[in-house]
């Protein structure tokens, strides 16, 4: 009963904070409204206020359970925000595209994002697990989950719905992993209506933060075997996503 109450509290606080921060950002729009506007896949104008809102809520909700995991989520959100701003209009997607740019002497915002999130995942893993292999797997899961959620953020609501679906099994377990999953799902649930309604998008800021939080929930709730399975899954998702991006670029659709 106490554990269930903790999960409910984590979900509710995260959802409430997401809505409150989102409303505050919409009311003030620091830097001017145009800075917060983007065109979605259908050419409609949407805002980015939901991204920082759910990223902040996910980071704080995760930090209540594990400061190290909260750090990773915060860094993932910050790196995503950097890419949302500095990489706006850059059509390059996937590891290959950014590594190709690096070979040409260009450090893209996407590469900075990937490096920053990977480093933060490894740092968090070092605090969350005791043995070297477990620490490495934890870092891969956190960074890989952040990337995987961003991969599915191609249509309204897909990333948030993915987080809700993938986070739900974690609620069935007791312990810190369940509370982190609940906080992550609370943030995702809070932005889902406006995301599906094409009034806002979570952008890289929200997608990477929610993904990192989801990865942190997995790390907190699993031993080595579970970590290995999830690490393999996120690596496979990254490879598949990179191939899809390469095909799309070749077809001229990205």
């Amino acid at each position: 009963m106490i554990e269930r109450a903790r999960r409910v509290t984590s979900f509710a606080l995260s959802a409430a904070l997401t809505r409150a921060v989102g409303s505050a950002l919409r009311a003030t729009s620091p830097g001017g409204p145009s800075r917060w506007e983007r065109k979605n896949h259908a050419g409609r104008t949407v805002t980015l206020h939901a991204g920082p809102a759910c990223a902040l809520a996910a980071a704080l909700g995760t930090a209540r359970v594990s400061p190290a995991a909260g750090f990773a989520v915060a860094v993932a959100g910050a790196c995503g925000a950097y890419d949302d701003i500095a990489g706006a209009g850059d059509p390059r997607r996937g590891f290959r595209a950014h590594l190709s740019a690096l070979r040409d002497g260009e450090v893209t915002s996407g590469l900075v994002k990937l490096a920053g999130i990977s480093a933060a995942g490894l740092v968090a893993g070092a605090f969350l697990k005791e043995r070297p292999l477990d620490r490495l797997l934890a870092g891969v899961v956190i960074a890989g989950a952040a990337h995987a959620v961003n991969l599915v953020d191609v249509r309204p609501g897909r990333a948030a719905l993915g987080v809700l679906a993938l986070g739900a099994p974690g609620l069935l377990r007791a312990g810190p992993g369940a509370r982190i999953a609940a906080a992550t799902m609370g943030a995702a649930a809070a932005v889902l209506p406006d995301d599906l309604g094409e009034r806002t998008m979570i952008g890289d800021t929200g997608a990477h933060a929610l993904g990192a939080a989801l990865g942190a929930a997995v790390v907190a709730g699993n031993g080595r075997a579970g970590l290995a399975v999830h690490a393999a899954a996120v690596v496979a998702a990254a490879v598949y996503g990179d191939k899809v991006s390469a095909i799309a670029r070749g077809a001229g659709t990205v």
Side-chain angles (χ1 to χ4, degrees):
M1 184 65 71
I2 293 177
E3 186 62 33
R4 181 181 298 177
R6 287 176 175 174
R7 293 196 295 267
V8 171
T9 299
S10 293
F11 184 98
L13 288 176
S14 186
L17 181 58
T18 300
R19 298 297 294 181
V21 174
S23 296
L25 287 175
R26 282 193 297 274
T28 57
S29 292
S34 61
R35 176 169 291 184
W36 295 85
E37 293 177 348
R38 294 290 188 276
K39 296 290 185 181
N40 69 0
H41 73 287
R44 297 186 179 92
T45 298
V46 297
T47 70
L48 292 173
H49 301 111
C54 67
L56 178 62
L60 292 178
T62 302
R64 289 180 68 242
V65 182
S66 167
F71 164 78
V73 175
V75 171
C79 289
Y82 172 73
D83 196 34
D84 277 335
I85 296 171
D90 188 344
R92 289 171 293 193
R93 296 291 184 272
F95 293 107
R96 293 182 183 179
H98 294 299
L99 290 176
S100 178
L102 181 62
R103 285 195 296 268
D104 294 334
E106 179 186 1
V107 179
T108 65
S109 60
L111 186 62
V112 171
K113 175 185 67 177
L114 293 171
I117 294 174
S118 298
L122 290 172
V123 169
F127 282 94
L128 292 169
K129 297 297 180 182
E130 295 182 357
R131 298 186 177 183
L133 179 56
D134 294 342
R135 290 174 171 177
L136 176 61
L137 290 172
V140 171
V141 169
I142 292 172
H147 183 60
V149 171
N150 190 55
L151 282 177
V152 302
D153 188 29
V154 293
R155 290 291 187 274
R158 284 195 182 178
L161 285 170
V163 168
L164 290 173
L166 294 172
L171 297 180
L172 301 177
R173 298 185 177 188
R179 296 197 296 275
I180 293 176
T184 308
M185 293 172 67
V191 299
L192 184 58
D194 287 337
D195 197 351
L196 286 174
E198 298 188 56
R199 294 180 291 274
T200 189
M201 64 167 60
I202 63 174
D204 282 8
T205 307
H208 282 298
L210 290 175
L214 197 61
V218 170
V219 170
N222 283 271
R224 179 172 297 178
L227 289 177
V229 170
H230 284 88
V234 295
V235 169
V239 171
Y240 175 76
D242 210 44
K243 289 182 178 179
V244 171
S245 294
I247 293 172
R249 288 194 302 274
T253 58
V254 175

